[in-house]
Amino acid sequence: MIVYFSGRFSKKKEDLICKIVNFCQDQLFPDIDDIYLNFEGMLPKNGQNLRSGKELEDYCGDCMYEENKEFTIRLNKRLPIPQLELTLMHEMVHVDQYLKGKEMDNTSPYFERWQEKEAHKKELELQTIFHSQLRKD
């Protein structure tokens, strides 16, 4: 897996992102390695919207499938570490959904979309496993 950063994250956050990406790959799609992840750090500005239409002050992140196993994951650079972890795990579930060729629902309200329900459920499961492994190390 190739990870690229744009939008300047702190070294601490870049290291954490790489650790979480590797963990999620092991948990979600361990047999797929030829993936390119581009991480963009976003700084919310009051009143500015992204494609989701959500206010950026509530914006945590999103995942876009570009082509040929290439993804862009945008993350709010102001997220505290615990929220960054959870958001990244959520977005990695979307990477897994795209890799499996699942058709995304982009018409239903956000919290009613099947892919969001699945990602919200799995992000918590992943976070629990991640922290239990950290305690063992």
Side-chain angles (χ1 to χ4, degrees), residues 9-66:
F9 289 91
S10 69
K11 174 77 168 115
K12 180 180 178 180
K13 285 188 177 179
E14 284 186 6
D15 290 347
L16 177 63
I17 288 168
C18 289
K19 190 172 195 170
I20 292 171
V21 163
N22 288 329
F23 165 78
C24 288
Q25 179 185 13
D26 289 345
Q27 295 294 312
L28 298 169
F29 42 91
D31 298 329
I32 304 173
D33 196 42
D34 56 338
I35 300 166
Y36 181 88
L37 297 176
N38 176 41
F39 285 93
E40 294 182 5
M42 306 297 289
L43 284 175
K45 297 177 183 172
N46 290 337
Q48 184 181 1
N49 293 342
L50 290 178
R51 65 189 174 103
S52 65
K54 293 190 289 185
E55 291 297 317
L56 274 182
E57 56 215 23
D58 297 329
Y59 170 77
C60 294
D62 61 15
C63 174
M64 296 169 282
Y65 179 63
E66 306 295 349

Side-chain angles (χ1 to χ4, degrees), residues 7 38 48 60-61 78 81 83 85 102 108-109 114 122 136:
N38 176 41
Q48 184 181 1
C60 294
R78 293 185 180 149
I81 296 294
Q83 186 63 36
E85 283 180 8
K102 295 183 176 179
S108 300
W114 74 265
K122 284 189 177 180
K136 291 177 184 176

Side-chain angles (χ1 to χ4, degrees), residues 81-132:
I81 296 294
Q83 186 63 36
L84 176 68
E85 283 180 8
L86 202 60
T87 299
L88 179 51
M89 290 174 186
H90 179 101
E91 300 310 331
M92 290 300 290
V93 172
H94 290 317
V95 169
D96 183 48
Q97 292 165 341
Y98 283 118
L99 289 172
K100 291 178 178 169
K102 295 183 176 179
E103 186 69 31
M104 301 297 187
D105 173 3
N106 294 316
T107 58
S108 300
Y110 177 81
F111 287 105
E112 293 177 20
R113 297 175 185 176
W114 74 265
Q115 71 266 19
E116 297 304 334
K117 290 178 182 179
E118 180 178 86
H120 284 288
K121 179 182 177 204
K122 284 189 177 180
E123 73 188 22
L124 297 173
E125 295 169 3
L126 289 167
Q127 190 177 46
T128 300
I129 298 167
F130 181 73
H131 283 280
S132 71

